[in-house]
Amino acid sequence: MVYFKNLDSGVAYMLLAALISALNGALAKMLSEDMSALEIVFFRNIIGVFLILYALKHTPPTLSGGKIYLLFTRGLFGFTAMILFFYTITTIPLGEAITLNKTSPLFVAILAYYLLGEHLSKRSVFALLVGFLGIMFITKPFGMDVSYEHFLGILGGFFAAAAYTTIKKIKDIYDSRIIVLSFVSIGTLLPALLFISASFIETPQSLSFLFPEFIMPMSISIWLLIGFMAIISTLSQWLLTKAYSASNLSIIGVVSYTNIPFAIGFGFILGDSLPDIFTFLGIFLIVCAGVLIGFKRK
């Protein structure tokens, strides 16, 4: 029990966020059979807006705020990362899409070093390398066909890292719920504008996923999935915001790798084949990386 008492709060938040995020990816994969990626983003966020507004009405924020441009930037980066992530989910296998999104910790480490002046200890660097080695065993990247969709997945990882880095810049002036509200609000308004613009703009096939026709879902089962996804996604965003506010960005980035084994598990439930021995080895290395840096030194 003493080890769990020493568990860093940011790591605990991220572990739970990673589990919920993997579940969210599985739900998005299911919804993609009936909806476009932009519709999934829109409905996921608009419900999140109401959830966050209710939470703020129940318990008003205490932090004064300021630097609203950073709040807007966080929301814009978050929306861009989300639409790219959901699009890759609809076009390539769930495990691959989530793995490509997990390039974000690498970008986080780079951005934190150059923008925030964070120092990486030898233990953190070693854990980062172990985590990436685990990803290599899982994805077998040298055998992956890197397509346009794969490139968009990596680009989504970069924008996710930019959003996480922005959280670190504003965590002391904005309540975590306000930070999440900026994300879901922009993630609602921008898709609405893209839907309105769709009939007036001719786009190349490579960008057509940004300007789809809006089709209102009619099935009760789809609405139930949308509502459930919106609730757990908003919870995941709150946990993620708390995680990146509580601990070193690079450390939390490594722990976020646990999203991959969680996603593989949900993929298996949805009918994916069992992982091979290299994938299991990769999962083991990722867990070891999280354990290595997830406990505070005495």
Side-chain angles (χ1 to χ4, degrees), residues 122-142:
K122 292 181 179 179
R123 185 176 65 169
S124 296
V125 172
F126 178 71
L128 187 64
L129 293 174
V130 170
F132 274 118
L133 181 61
I135 288 180
M136 292 182 68
F137 275 113
I138 290 176
T139 61
K140 306 168 188 66
F142 298 109

Side-chain angles (χ1 to χ4, degrees), residues 2 14 45 53 67 69 76 86-87 100 120 125 131 134 141 145 169 172 184 194 204 229-230 244 250 262 291-293:
V2 67
M14 179 51 76
N45 285 321
L53 288 177
K67 298 183 179 180
Y69 67 94
L76 182 61
F86 280 148
Y87 175 67
L100 291 174
L120 286 176
V125 172
D145 180 21
K169 296 283 287 186
D172 295 324
V184 294
L194 292 173
M229 185 181 71
Y244 277 95
S250 300
F262 289 145
V291 172
L292 181 64
I293 51 101

Side-chain angles (χ1 to χ4, degrees), residues 193-202 210-214:
L193 292 175
L194 292 173
F195 284 130
I196 295 172
S197 304
S199 59
F200 303 100
I201 299 177
E202 289 190 16
L210 291 175
F211 299 92
E213 178 186 0
F214 179 80

